[in-house]
C-alpha cells in the first residue's frame, strides 16, 4: 500500500475492536506484537520488551481471539506451539490440536503431518482427506 504504516494508530484501532469484543482486534494486536518482535520496534509498549516477551504477548492475543472462534488465530496459535514461539516450549500435540480446531484446510494438512510423525495413520488419513475436501492439495 502507498499509505504509511503507523503502528501506534493501528494499536489504537485494534484496542477499540478488543473493547467491543471483536476477535479481529486481538488477532490484529497479535500481528502487531509479532511485527514488533521481528523488527525490534518498542513503540507498542511504555517500556522496551524482549523479543520473547513480545511473542508471549502475541500469543496471549492469539489465545483471546482463538477462544472467541477466530480460525486464523487458532491456526497461528498451532504454529506458535509447534515452533515454541511465545509459549515457553515446543508442544507438538497441542499445536496439532489448534491446527485441527482452526478448521482450515492448511491446519488439517499440517496436522496430518503431525499424525504421521507420531504413527497415527488413521488421523493422518482423516486430516489429509479433510484438507483435500476443503481444497488443499499437495
Amino acid at each position: 500500500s502507498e499509505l504509511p504504516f503507523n503502528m501506534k494508530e493501528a494499536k489504537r484501532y485494534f484496542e477499540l475492536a478488543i473493547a467491543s469484543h471483536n476477535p479481529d482486534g486481538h488477532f490484529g494486536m497479535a500481528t502487531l506484537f509479532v511485527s514488533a518482535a521481528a523488527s525490534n520496534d518498542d513503540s507498542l509498549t511504555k517500556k522496551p520488551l524482549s523479543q520473547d516477551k513480545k511473542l508471549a504477548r502475541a500469543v496471549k492475543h492469539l489465545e483471546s481471539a482463538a477462544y472467541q472462534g477466530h480460525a486464523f488465530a487458532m491456526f497461528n496459535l498451532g504454529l506458535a506451539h509447534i515452533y515454541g514461539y511465545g509459549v515457553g516450549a515446543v508442544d507438538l500435540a497441542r499445536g496439532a490440536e489448534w491446527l485441527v480446531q482452526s478448521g482450515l484446510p492448511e491446519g488439517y494438512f499440517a496436522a496430518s503431518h503431525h499424525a504421521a510423525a507420531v504413527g497415527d495413520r488413521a488421523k493422518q488419513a482423516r486430516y489429509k482427506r479433510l484438507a483435500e475436501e476443503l481444497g488443499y492439495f499437495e
Side-chain angles (χ1 to χ4, degrees):
S1 168
E2 293 180 25
L3 294 173
F5 178 72
N6 183 323
M7 191 169 294
K8 286 184 180 179
E9 192 71 5
K11 179 184 177 193
R12 187 172 76 78
Y13 283 110
F14 290 139
E15 286 172 340
L16 289 170
I18 290 168
S20 69
H21 307 288
N22 185 330
D24 286 329
H26 282 292
F27 186 74
M29 285 295 283
T31 62
L32 290 183
F33 275 104
V34 168
S35 177
S39 65
N40 288 321
D41 184 335
D42 288 316
S43 65
L44 284 177
T45 57
K46 292 179 182 175
K47 59 183 181 178
L49 296 175
S50 69
Q51 183 182 36
D52 288 339
K53 287 188 179 187
K54 289 174 190 170
L55 292 175
R57 290 227 183 147
V59 166
K60 292 293 181 197
H61 284 288
L62 287 175
E63 288 172 343
S64 292
Y67 286 121
Q68 291 180 57
H70 197 286
F72 293 107
M74 292 175 197
F75 179 81
N76 283 286
L77 197 52
L79 295 179
H81 284 283
I82 286 170
Y83 292 104
Y85 296 143
V87 294
V90 170
D91 187 338
L92 299 176
R94 191 168 196 188
E97 289 172 11
W98 277 115
L99 292 170
V100 169
Q101 188 66 34
S102 77
L104 296 172
E106 298 90 339
Y108 286 125
F109 185 74
S112 75
H113 284 281
H114 173 263
V118 298
D120 191 334
R121 301 291 178 223
K123 278 187 179 177
Q124 177 193 12
R126 180 171 161 245
Y127 294 151
K128 186 175 182 195
R129 180 181 47 78
L130 286 167
E132 289 173 350
E133 287 175 1
L134 292 170
Y136 192 94
F137 297 95
E138 290 182 77

